[in-house]
Amino acid sequence: MLSAFDANWSLMTPEIVLAVLAMIIFTIDFMTGIHGKKPFLGRLSIIALLVTAVLVVFVNPQGGTIGHIFILDPFSMIFKVILLVAVAIVIAISMYYVEKNEDIYQGEYYSIMLFATLGAMLMVSSADLITLFIGLEIVSISSYVLAGFKKHRKKSTEAAIKYVILGGAASAFILYGMSFLYGLTGTTSLYEIGGAIPGVYEQYPFMIMLSLLFMVAGFGFKISVAPFHMWAPDVYEGSPTSVTSFLTVVSKLAAFALVMRVLFIGFGGIIEEWAFIIAVIAALTMILGNLIALAQKNVKRLMAYSGIAQAGYLLVPIAAAFNINVSASTIAFYGVAYVLMVLGAFAVITFVTEESGNEDIASFSGLYKRSPYLALAMGVFLVSLAGLPATAGFIGKFYIFVGAVSGDMLWLAIIMIAMSIVSFYYYFGIIRQMFMREPKTSLDGQPAGTLKAPAGISTVVGVSLAGTIILGFFPGILINFFNSFNWMFMFF
């Protein structure tokens, strides 16, 4: 058995450094009082995340493992970099939001977001049920707190309570499924479970499928896929807008990485038994997410249902895993595109809704006349989310479509195309407000003035816009890089 002295702890250098930096930021906040504006803590948090991303790339690039409990491989390194950059963008958006909302304790907010990122990093490197669950709960508990950060706002408190109760139930489902798996295989290591699963399934098929279904239900809640998505619209609407962007992108991508590890390593030996189940969940998620989004008037609820539909698209490569290398590259590419287009859109949404004091879609009316730059950028992000050409979103969906067809799931590819067409309607509803409606007038009949975004929001929008367009025209920059990895070696 591996002792603590034999373990190569240098593999965890980025996680240890991030934990230390998060504690330092928490201590600085404690020493300077909990109240007041502290933009320097936001800047320190972004620096901490970028330093950690550099360490992920340059420390132990050859990879390694600590007793098959903590894995450092191309999969974990790529997802960690994506998550760290995504959280840095979220904090850049948050710095504007917390300045406008003085009831948020800034130091605590940034510290908790860094600890949530630490949990996400543990999740993507875990190859053991125990460490996997610890990472998942660090992210979950941090997310519950962040959702209720505007404690004087009824909707925020309601969102946090719903999130805690339903999230706790989802964790119970995951633990119940894990207990069955441990009882049948006698181990918590995903690699050992993966080796034993074909033989155990022959003896106890019902118990293995029950374990799988419990875990899929629990994970389904975490990534908000149908029929476990009911919490998402209320929590997304009630949470601070910057937290909503965190839940939509960061916690969801981390959970997806975890689901891939569990399914491909732990249950990889019986892939034909669960592939159709995942395909049905993907189809339901795309259909429900897109159809219910059509009726939404609140922009955060609309983005919640949009996020549910996008989770369905991300499940397609897992269900149609005819080639693990291709599926992993496809999900990684779409993950990058998803970060750019969704966080770019949330930067605009945060600024517009805070300036108007209204979260209705109508708050975007006449945005083109008030801020052409933000309106054009938001238009590109929405077009990319809809999957139209010349954007990163189109390329990502194209690869997913090809993967579904190649994996003999033509019916799933057809549903994906049909639901993408449906999504045009609600995304173009916002575009119509921005370009075809007049700006709202004030109570005294005066026209709304021009909007000038602060430097942080403008930078996030600019970087996201450039990335969305560049990957739309030159996807080979990233897809060739991802294809250069031997993902198959990683999984087996």
Side-chain angles (χ1 to χ4, degrees):
M1 180 181 288
L2 181 73
S3 73
F5 295 104
D6 298 327
N8 180 10
W9 294 107
S10 68
L11 294 174
M12 295 188 74
T13 300
E15 283 81 4
I16 295 169
V17 169
L18 181 62
V20 171
L21 292 174
M23 285 302 299
I24 290 173
I25 290 171
F26 184 78
T27 305
I28 293 173
D29 175 56
F30 181 72
M31 294 174 67
T32 54
I34 59 173
H35 295 288
K37 296 182 177 180
K38 302 176 183 178
F40 62 96
L41 289 182
R43 297 188 194 103
L44 280 177
S45 301
I46 293 175
I47 292 171
L49 291 162
L50 296 181
V51 166
T52 307
V54 171
L55 290 174
V56 168
V57 174
F58 292 104
V59 175
N60 296 309
Q62 72 280 5
T65 175
I66 300 177
H68 278 174
I69 294 173
F70 183 88
I71 302 287
L72 192 61
D73 53 16
F75 178 83
S76 63
M77 285 193 281
I78 288 171
F79 268 89
K80 282 178 187 176
V81 172
I82 293 173
L83 291 170
L84 287 164
V85 173
V87 178
I89 295 173
V90 169
I91 289 182
I93 298 172
S94 302
M95 288 175 66
Y96 165 76
Y97 185 84
V98 297
E99 287 294 313
K100 300 280 288 186
N101 294 269
E102 296 182 355
D103 55 337
I104 289 181
Y105 298 154
Q106 297 190 10
E108 290 181 8
Y109 178 91
Y110 296 128
S111 302
I112 292 171
M113 202 160 274
L114 291 185
F115 283 120
T117 311
L118 178 64
M121 292 176 71
L122 289 176
M123 282 169 66
V124 300
S125 269
S126 293
D128 187 275
L129 296 180
I130 296 174
T131 51
L132 177 155
F133 189 75
I134 291 171
L136 184 66
E137 285 306 293
I138 291 174
V139 176
S140 297
I141 294 170
S142 302
S143 299
Y144 304 152
V145 176
L146 289 169
F149 233 82
K150 284 183 73 67
K151 59 184 180 183
H152 300 300
R153 187 171 173 239
K154 186 179 175 183
K155 279 190 174 182
S156 186
T157 306
E158 182 184 337
I161 293 172
K162 281 185 179 178
Y163 204 8
V164 168
I165 295 172
L166 296 175
S171 297
F173 272 100
I174 294 171
L175 279 179
Y176 204 39
M178 285 180 174
S179 66
F180 282 7
L181 205 54
Y182 176 71
L184 291 167
T185 61
T187 178
T188 57
S189 167
L190 280 178
Y191 282 94
E192 292 180 16
I193 290 171
I197 205 79
V200 176
Y201 180 74
E202 285 186 7
Q203 291 181 292
Y204 308 101
F206 176 74
M207 295 300 291
I208 289 293
M209 288 308 295
L210 203 57
S211 165
L212 175 68
L213 290 176
F214 274 126
M215 292 174 72
V216 166
F219 292 139
F221 172 89
K222 302 294 183 184
I223 55 178
S224 64
V225 296
F228 317 106
H229 65 286
M230 304 303 286
W231 62 276
D234 290 342
V235 173
Y236 283 23
E237 183 185 359
S239 301
T241 310
S242 51
V243 174
T244 306
S245 65
F246 177 85
L247 298 175
T248 308
V249 175
V250 180
S251 60
K252 185 169 288 188
L253 282 181
F256 257 100
L258 181 149
V259 168
M260 288 180 69
R261 286 256 191 223
V262 171
L263 288 180
F264 287 132
I265 297 178
F267 292 94
I270 55 170
I271 191 168
E272 64 280 359
E273 304 298 332
W274 54 258
F276 184 72
I277 296 172
I278 300 298
V280 171
I281 293 175
L284 274 176
T285 304
M286 289 187 284
I287 292 170
L288 288 176
N290 282 303
L291 292 182
I292 301 177
L294 291 172
Q296 302 307 313
K297 301 299 180 189
N298 180 291
V299 68
K300 286 167 71 176
R301 290 186 75 85
L302 186 148
M303 292 303 290
Y305 282 108
S306 163
I308 291 167
Q310 298 288 338
Y313 300 136
L314 278 166
L315 276 182
V316 173
I318 298 177
F322 73 100
N323 184 321
I324 304 298
N325 286 337
V326 174
S327 293
S329 295
T330 301
I331 291 176
F333 181 88
Y334 199 72
V336 174
Y338 187 67
V339 166
L340 292 171
M341 56 194 180
V342 172
L343 290 185
F346 263 103
V348 179
I349 290 169
T350 303
F351 179 65
V352 171
T353 55
E354 284 300 308
E355 288 298 316
S356 64
N358 189 338
E359 294 179 352
D360 287 345
I361 294 173
S363 62
F364 285 84
S365 61
L367 182 62
Y368 178 70
K369 293 183 178 177
R370 302 181 67 195
S371 176
Y373 169 61
L374 289 183
L376 289 170
M378 186 68 174
V380 172
F381 298 139
L382 293 172
V383 164
S384 183
L385 281 166
L388 289 180
T391 61
F394 169 76
I395 300 296
K397 283 186 180 176
F398 174 76
Y399 284 126
I400 292 174
F401 176 81
V402 171
V405 173
S406 303
D408 293 330
M409 288 194 173
L410 182 62
W411 63 275
L412 192 57
I414 292 171
I415 290 175
M416 179 184 164
I417 295 295
M419 289 301 106
S420 294
I421 294 170
V422 170
S423 72
F424 295 166
Y425 183 82
Y426 60 81
Y427 287 131
F428 278 82
I430 301 177
I431 293 176
R432 186 169 58 247
Q433 290 286 340
M434 292 191 297
F435 293 95
M436 301 175 70
R437 295 283 188 272
E438 291 297 320
K440 284 192 172 181
T441 56
S442 59
L443 292 176
D444 57 1
Q446 295 298 316
T450 57
L451 282 176
K452 183 172 174 53
I457 294 290
S458 294
T459 303
V460 170
V461 171
V463 170
S464 302
L465 180 63
T468 303
I469 294 174
I470 290 171
L471 289 180
F473 283 98
F474 308 103
I477 296 172
L478 210 54
I479 202 73
N480 291 337
F481 174 69
F482 289 149
N483 285 337
S484 67
F485 294 113
N486 185 1
W487 301 89
M488 182 70 80
F489 175 78
M490 172 193 69
F491 286 115
F492 299 101

